[in-house]
Amino acid sequence: MNETKKEILTASLELFSKKGYSAVSIRDICKIVQIKESSVYYHFKNKQAILEELLIQFEDIATGMMQQLEESLSKPVNPEKSNFYKGICDIFFEEYLMDDFCNKMMRLLLIEQFHNDEVRKLYDLWMFEKPLDFQSKVFSALADMGYIKDRDSGYLAMKYYSPIYCFAQRWLFSGTLTEECKEIFRVNAYQHIEKFFKEI
Amino acid sequence: MNETKKEILTASLELFSKKGYSAVSIRDICKIVQIKESSVYYHFKNKQAILEELLIQFEDIATGMMQQLEESLSKPVNPEKSNFYKGICDIFFEEYLMDDFCNKMMRLLLIEQFHNDEVRKLYDLWMFEKPLDFQSKVFSALADMGYIKDRDSGYLAMKYYSPIYCFAQRWLFSGTLTEECKEIFRVNAYQHIEKFFKEI
Amino acid sequence: MNETKKEILTASLELFSKKGYSAVSIRDICKIVQIKESSVYYHFKNKQAILEELLIQFEDIATGMMQQLEESLSKPVNPEKSNFYKGICDIFFEEYLMDDFCNKMMRLLLIEQFHNDEVRKLYDLWMFEKPLDFQSKVFSALADMGYIKDRDSGYLAMKYYSPIYCFAQRWLFSGTLTEECKEIFRVNAYQHIEKFFKEI
Amino acid sequence: MNETKKEILTASLELFSKKGYSAVSIRDICKIVQIKESSVYYHFKNKQAILEELLIQFEDIATGMMQQLEESLSKPVNPEKSNFYKGICDIFFEEYLMDDFCNKMMRLLLIEQFHNDEVRKLYDLWMFEKPLDFQSKVFSALADMGYIKDRDSGYLAMKYYSPIYCFAQRWLFSGTLTEECKEIFRVNAYQHIEKFFKEI
DNA sequence: GATGAATGAGTGTTCATTCAT
DNA sequence: TATGAATGAACACTCATTCAT
């Protein structure tokens, strides 16, 4: 992909994730990329097409992350309980929730879910459905391995994941994403995870 | 308050909560209220003022609800464990989370938190801080009354509240709010609450 | 109708009839009317709506003219042969073909018939079908009254009307419409009519 | 001439004759020719130059046709009355009015005569002046040969040609040019010619 | 011969807002 | 109280054209 096109995408995501799609003008994007407005239309059919390209990129990354998770679940490097879920957490946190691109995309999806039904479905899929599904499998696996007794893996997944989602909302998807915010999120989330796995 | 002014507020909230503040034009609002655009400016200084009035109304309601909760906590009608938290839940759910006005405001706050820092603070205050604080007190009270042993009321509040928040996000604050969505939310939330209070 | 709206219509017709609809910008129209571009949209939904209003006005006038013609055919003031058709000609020429508004509309229709199928039908209706139909009736009437022998009124109408149409094309619907052009047209057309009625 | 250049001209005429010069973009032309917009500028100085090349081609063809007509008038193959004018008609109709290239050019000239004074003159020259002049000569010749008595060859030419022009306008220069339209035109025109020569 | 990339000027349109009535 | 009329600023987008490769 062309360098300018990449820069347009980067600038667009930056702005979209802060103000929402419709509040960002082509002018705004061009100011960052340092090109003229008409040039955007050489690279993209229209403004909507920029958003769509971002959605596709996000889906690719999210799908890739999910595959990694599935793999690390089926072939755990270290099947000792705490190491087992720690490896998994790291992928999900570092390569997804807190990855700069993904994080911005999630904010964008969160805002745009109201205007755009396709986006709403994407948000639900990648913020609720997929993570909860996967987490259920993890708890089933842990139960099969005898590490936990509780077999209601669906509710367990919810109990495990919902605080993480809340922390993400509070610290990652709101306001300016600073390193400080990331740190607060990380501390809160890992504290929860530790307590959670101690209890079960 | 003048009848027309009320209608403007109602229509504005309806639209803002669906499309977000900036995607709604004065035209759109006037189409619903059946007045001319210039008439809006008799009732409000500008578009922003409509939003602000809505924020004030919401804060009033939310504050009132919180006061009710505090009261029902300090003078429990029926201090028997299950009745105790059921009364509290009902106020929070029916008069707040699922109340039509509040629900729309929450969607609005959710969308607008990115454009508007004041809104972001409001959202955090009324969706996280206040509910979690209050819930902490509830668990402290329950602990004081001997109903539960766990004294980490902060984490308990998080464990209790975060699934409710997630359910709200999935079913109340996304897409069109139908009676069906409300019902799914209610079922999920109450199931969680029941399980939760059984476990502690 | 509002004064400004009228001026917009007048200016639009003036320009449309010279350059064609799409070659005229809202800016061009506003330069003449001395208003800002955005003001146009108070009076008209969009550019297309200006054209449509002009089409309606033209149809009204053309329909009115046709009714006048029909009346003057059914109740001839002076049933003497030359006076009979002269009265009819005058209505058609002065109130239609050479009327400033109608003339400009015909140029406009002529140009726009290629972009716009509705316009093409209008042009055909009011430049060919209606005039030829009516002229047929005139010749039928003249035959009934015994003034002419030829009963092929359709072909007569064509022979009568087609030179007039050609003259109109050459002198009225092309280039700038000056009084000189009008005069050339008038001379040519009336010469033809005189010769024509002498021959039949 | 280069193959691509020819294709550009063909595509341009196709589009110009349907929508008018200014309503056709270089993009539109390139979509048909399957080249990039910048490539056009290798073959033509600018958009206007495409139009001008088409005008030159048309003038060449029209001039050639007129020469053929003049020749067939001075050396009639078969000086018998009906054969005499039939040969002439065929050249004018088949090689000019109904020839695909010429027909499209005439539509184009018809539309563009308003924007472009040079075009207006060309239209008048090749649709009125030249045909009427030549037809006058034909009638003079017929009168000299004793086939007709009427010596007002100018008016005869007008009476002969104007219905043909009208038929052309109705069936050839409006809407989509289908084989059906062509046929209607041909039938109407030849019917007129036959009647016309019977009458004189 | 052809094209990737860019651009200045322009297009129709929307919007929040103003102000006299 | 309400509105008719107007407007400046912005918006997404199109277009003919240029130029280095």
Side-chain angles (χ1 to χ4, degrees):
Chain A
M1 179 162 24
N2 180 296
E3 202 56 43
T4 307
K5 192 170 182 182
K6 273 186 211 159
E7 286 177 44
I8 293 172
L9 284 169
T10 308
S12 299
L13 177 55
E14 184 64 32
L15 293 172
F16 288 167
S17 71
K18 270 186 192 145
K19 314 200 205 171
Y21 172 78
S22 64
V24 172
S25 73
I26 298 283
R27 263 175 196 51
D28 295 334
I29 297 166
C30 290
K31 244 172 250 157
I32 297 182
V33 187
Q34 302 252 45
I35 52 170
K36 302 296 165 187
E37 289 150 59
S38 48
S39 304
V40 169
Y41 293 86
Y42 176 74
H43 301 281
F44 296 92
K45 201 186 125 231
N46 52 28
K47 195 185 164 189
Q48 184 67 24
I50 302 178
L51 178 59
E52 268 151 28
E53 190 122 347
L54 287 171
L55 294 182
I56 289 170
Q57 282 190 17
F58 172 69
E59 279 201 270
D60 286 350
I61 293 181
T63 308
M65 181 271 310
M66 200 48 79
Q67 272 167 2
Q68 264 186 277
L69 285 181
E70 301 275 2
E71 272 167 42
S72 77
L73 181 61
S74 55
K75 306 158 198 156
V77 182
N78 186 339
E80 191 267 324
K81 186 183 172 189
S82 74
N83 282 323
F84 176 74
Y85 68 77
K86 255 171 203 157
I88 286 169
C89 288
D90 284 350
I91 294 171
F92 186 72
F93 276 60
E94 306 301 332
E95 293 192 23
Y96 185 58
L97 269 191
M98 298 175 74
D99 169 76
D100 203 52
F101 175 81
C102 290
N103 190 283
K104 281 174 185 154
M105 281 304 301
M106 285 163 197
R107 289 154 163 261
L108 170 50
L109 296 176
L110 179 62
I111 314 174
E112 287 315 307
Q113 67 180 322
F114 296 88
H115 304 51
N116 186 320
D117 217 55
E118 192 205 343
V119 168
R120 221 201 68 241
K121 277 168 199 157
L122 269 182
Y123 187 80
D124 191 64
L125 183 67
W126 291 107
M127 291 309 292
F128 289 115
E129 211 176 306
K130 292 268 190 184
L132 285 170
D133 267 12
F134 175 76
Q135 212 57 47
S136 276
K137 283 186 204 158
V138 173
F139 289 117
S140 291
L142 283 168
D144 291 344
M145 290 150 94
Y147 288 138
I148 59 175
K149 278 149 263 164
D150 189 340
R151 302 206 70 92
D152 185 353
S153 60
Y155 186 47
L156 266 178
M158 192 70 210
K159 286 198 288 185
Y160 168 80
Y161 180 65
S162 60
I164 294 169
Y165 179 83
C166 286
F167 294 139
Q169 280 270 320
R170 286 193 86 173
W171 306 113
L172 298 181
F173 308 159
S174 74
T176 328
L177 182 71
T178 59
E179 276 307 311
E180 204 198 343
C181 285
K182 275 187 165 182
E183 202 42 43
I184 295 176
F185 167 73
R186 208 193 304 261
V187 169
N188 278 317
Y190 278 95
Q191 245 169 34
H192 156 64
I193 294 171
E194 211 148 312
K195 282 186 190 171
F196 186 87
F197 278 97
K198 223 173 270 168
E199 287 181 10
I200 59 171
Chain B
M1 179 163 22
N2 180 298
E3 199 57 41
T4 307
K5 194 170 180 180
K6 273 187 210 159
E7 286 177 43
I8 293 172
L9 285 168
T10 309
S12 299
L13 177 55
E14 182 65 32
L15 293 172
F16 288 168
S17 71
K18 269 185 191 144
K19 315 198 202 172
Y21 172 77
S22 64
V24 172
S25 71
I26 299 280
R27 255 198 238 342
D28 296 333
I29 297 166
C30 291
K31 242 173 251 158
I32 296 183
V33 187
Q34 304 249 44
I35 53 170
K36 300 296 165 185
E37 287 140 85
S38 46
S39 306
V40 169
Y41 292 84
Y42 176 78
H43 301 282
F44 296 93
K45 201 188 122 224
N46 53 29
K47 195 186 165 189
Q48 185 66 23
I50 302 177
L51 178 60
E52 269 152 26
E53 190 121 349
L54 287 171
L55 294 182
I56 289 169
Q57 281 190 16
F58 172 70
E59 280 201 88
D60 286 351
I61 292 180
T63 310
M65 182 270 312
M66 202 46 80
Q67 272 167 2
Q68 262 185 279
L69 285 181
E70 301 276 1
E71 272 168 41
S72 76
L73 182 61
S74 56
K75 305 158 199 159
V77 182
N78 186 339
E80 190 266 323
K81 184 185 174 191
S82 75
N83 282 323
F84 177 73
Y85 68 77
K86 254 169 203 159
I88 286 169
C89 287
D90 285 350
I91 295 171
F92 185 73
F93 276 62
E94 306 301 333
E95 292 191 24
Y96 185 59
L97 268 192
M98 299 175 74
D99 169 74
D100 203 52
F101 175 82
C102 291
N103 189 282
K104 280 174 186 156
M105 281 304 302
M106 287 163 195
R107 289 154 163 260
L108 171 50
L109 296 176
L110 179 62
I111 313 174
E112 289 314 307
Q113 67 181 322
F114 297 89
H115 304 52
N116 188 319
D117 217 57
E118 192 204 344
V119 168
R120 221 202 68 239
K121 279 167 195 155
L122 269 182
Y123 186 80
D124 191 64
L125 184 66
W126 291 107
M127 291 307 292
F128 289 115
E129 211 175 309
K130 292 268 189 183
L132 285 171
D133 267 12
F134 174 75
Q135 212 57 46
S136 278
K137 284 185 204 158
V138 173
F139 289 117
S140 290
L142 283 168
D144 291 344
M145 290 150 92
Y147 287 139
I148 59 176
K149 278 149 262 163
D150 189 340
R151 301 207 70 90
D152 185 353
S153 60
Y155 186 47
L156 266 178
M158 193 70 211
K159 286 199 287 186
Y160 169 78
Y161 180 64
S162 60
I164 294 169
Y165 179 83
C166 286
F167 293 139
Q169 279 270 323
R170 287 195 84 174
W171 306 114
L172 298 182
F173 308 158
S174 74
T176 330
L177 183 69
T178 60
E179 277 307 311
E180 204 198 343
C181 285
K182 275 187 165 182
E183 202 42 42
I184 294 175
F185 168 72
R186 210 192 303 260
V187 169
N188 278 318
Y190 278 95
Q191 242 170 37
H192 157 64
I193 293 170
E194 212 150 307
K195 282 185 189 170
F196 185 87
F197 278 98
K198 221 174 271 167
E199 286 181 9
I200 59 173
Chain C
M1 179 163 22
N2 181 293
E3 201 57 42
T4 307
K5 193 171 181 180
K6 274 186 209 159
E7 285 177 45
I8 293 172
L9 285 168
T10 308
S12 299
L13 178 55
E14 183 65 31
L15 293 171
F16 288 168
S17 71
K18 270 185 192 143
K19 314 200 205 171
Y21 173 79
S22 64
V24 172
S25 74
I26 297 283
R27 263 172 192 56
D28 295 335
I29 297 166
C30 290
K31 246 173 247 156
I32 297 183
V33 187
Q34 303 250 44
I35 52 169
K36 301 296 165 188
E37 291 148 62
S38 48
S39 305
V40 169
Y41 293 85
Y42 176 74
H43 301 281
F44 296 93
K45 204 187 122 227
N46 53 28
K47 195 185 165 191
Q48 184 67 22
I50 303 178
L51 178 60
E52 268 151 29
E53 190 122 347
L54 287 171
L55 294 181
I56 288 169
Q57 282 190 17
F58 172 70
E59 280 201 272
D60 285 350
I61 293 180
T63 309
M65 182 269 311
M66 202 46 80
Q67 272 167 1
Q68 263 186 277
L69 285 181
E70 301 275 1
E71 272 168 41
S72 76
L73 180 62
S74 56
K75 307 160 198 155
V77 182
N78 185 337
E80 193 266 323
K81 185 184 173 190
S82 76
N83 282 323
F84 177 74
Y85 69 75
K86 257 172 201 155
I88 285 168
C89 287
D90 284 351
I91 294 170
F92 186 72
F93 275 62
E94 305 301 332
E95 292 191 23
Y96 185 58
L97 269 192
M98 298 174 75
D99 169 75
D100 203 53
F101 175 81
C102 290
N103 189 283
K104 279 173 186 156
M105 281 304 301
M106 286 164 196
R107 291 152 163 263
L108 171 50
L109 295 176
L110 179 62
I111 313 174
E112 287 316 306
Q113 67 181 320
F114 297 89
H115 304 50
N116 186 322
D117 217 55
E118 193 204 344
V119 169
R120 221 201 68 240
K121 278 168 197 156
L122 269 183
Y123 186 80
D124 191 63
L125 183 66
W126 291 107
M127 291 309 291
F128 290 115
E129 210 176 307
K130 291 269 188 183
L132 286 171
D133 267 12
F134 175 74
Q135 212 57 47
S136 277
K137 283 187 204 156
V138 173
F139 290 117
S140 290
L142 284 169
D144 291 344
M145 289 149 94
Y147 289 140
I148 58 174
K149 277 151 263 163
D150 189 339
R151 301 205 71 91
D152 186 353
S153 61
Y155 187 45
L156 268 177
M158 193 69 210
K159 286 199 288 187
Y160 169 79
Y161 180 65
S162 60
I164 294 169
Y165 179 84
C166 285
F167 293 138
Q169 280 271 322
R170 286 194 84 174
W171 306 114
L172 297 181
F173 307 158
S174 72
T176 328
L177 182 69
T178 60
E179 276 308 310
E180 204 199 344
C181 285
K182 273 187 166 184
E183 202 42 41
I184 295 175
F185 169 72
R186 209 192 303 260
V187 169
N188 279 317
Y190 277 96
Q191 246 171 32
H192 156 64
I193 294 170
E194 212 151 309
K195 282 185 190 172
F196 185 87
F197 276 99
K198 224 174 268 166
E199 287 181 10
I200 58 171
Chain D
M1 179 162 23
N2 179 298
E3 199 57 41
T4 306
K5 193 171 181 181
K6 274 187 208 159
E7 285 178 45
I8 293 172
L9 285 168
T10 307
S12 298
L13 177 56
E14 183 64 31
L15 293 172
F16 288 168
S17 71
K18 269 185 192 144
K19 314 200 204 171
Y21 172 78
S22 64
V24 172
S25 71
I26 299 280
R27 256 200 237 341
D28 295 333
I29 298 165
C30 291
K31 243 174 249 158
I32 296 183
V33 187
Q34 305 249 45
I35 52 171
K36 300 296 165 188
E37 287 140 84
S38 46
S39 306
V40 169
Y41 292 84
Y42 178 78
H43 301 282
F44 296 93
K45 201 187 124 225
N46 54 27
K47 195 185 164 190
Q48 184 66 24
I50 302 178
L51 178 59
E52 269 151 28
E53 190 121 348
L54 287 170
L55 293 182
I56 289 169
Q57 282 190 15
F58 172 70
E59 279 200 271
D60 286 351
I61 292 180
T63 309
M65 182 270 312
M66 201 47 79
Q67 273 169 0
Q68 264 186 276
L69 285 181
E70 300 277 1
E71 272 169 41
S72 77
L73 181 61
S74 56
K75 308 161 197 153
V77 181
N78 185 341
E80 193 265 323
K81 186 186 173 188
S82 74
N83 282 323
F84 178 72
Y85 68 76
K86 256 171 202 157
I88 286 168
C89 287
D90 284 351
I91 294 171
F92 186 71
F93 276 61
E94 305 302 331
E95 293 192 23
Y96 185 57
L97 270 191
M98 297 173 75
D99 169 74
D100 202 54
F101 175 82
C102 291
N103 189 282
K104 279 174 187 156
M105 280 306 300
M106 287 163 196
R107 289 154 162 261
L108 172 50
L109 295 176
L110 179 63
I111 313 174
E112 287 315 306
Q113 66 180 320
F114 297 89
H115 303 49
N116 187 320
D117 217 56
E118 192 204 344
V119 168
R120 221 201 69 242
K121 278 169 196 154
L122 268 183
Y123 187 79
D124 191 65
L125 183 67
W126 292 106
M127 291 309 291
F128 290 116
E129 212 175 306
K130 292 269 188 184
L132 285 171
D133 267 11
F134 175 75
Q135 211 58 45
S136 277
K137 284 187 202 157
V138 172
F139 289 117
S140 290
L142 283 168
D144 291 344
M145 289 150 94
Y147 288 140
I148 60 174
K149 279 149 260 166
D150 189 340
R151 303 205 69 89
D152 186 352
S153 61
Y155 187 46
L156 267 178
M158 191 71 209
K159 286 200 287 187
Y160 168 79
Y161 180 64
S162 61
I164 293 169
Y165 180 83
C166 285
F167 293 139
Q169 280 270 323
R170 286 193 86 175
W171 305 114
L172 297 182
F173 306 159
S174 73
T176 330
L177 182 71
T178 60
E179 278 307 310
E180 205 197 343
C181 285
K182 276 186 163 184
E183 201 43 41
I184 294 175
F185 167 72
R186 210 193 302 261
V187 168
N188 278 318
Y190 279 95
Q191 245 170 33
H192 156 63
I193 294 170
E194 210 149 311
K195 280 185 189 171
F196 186 86
F197 279 99
K198 224 174 267 167
E199 286 181 10
I200 58 172

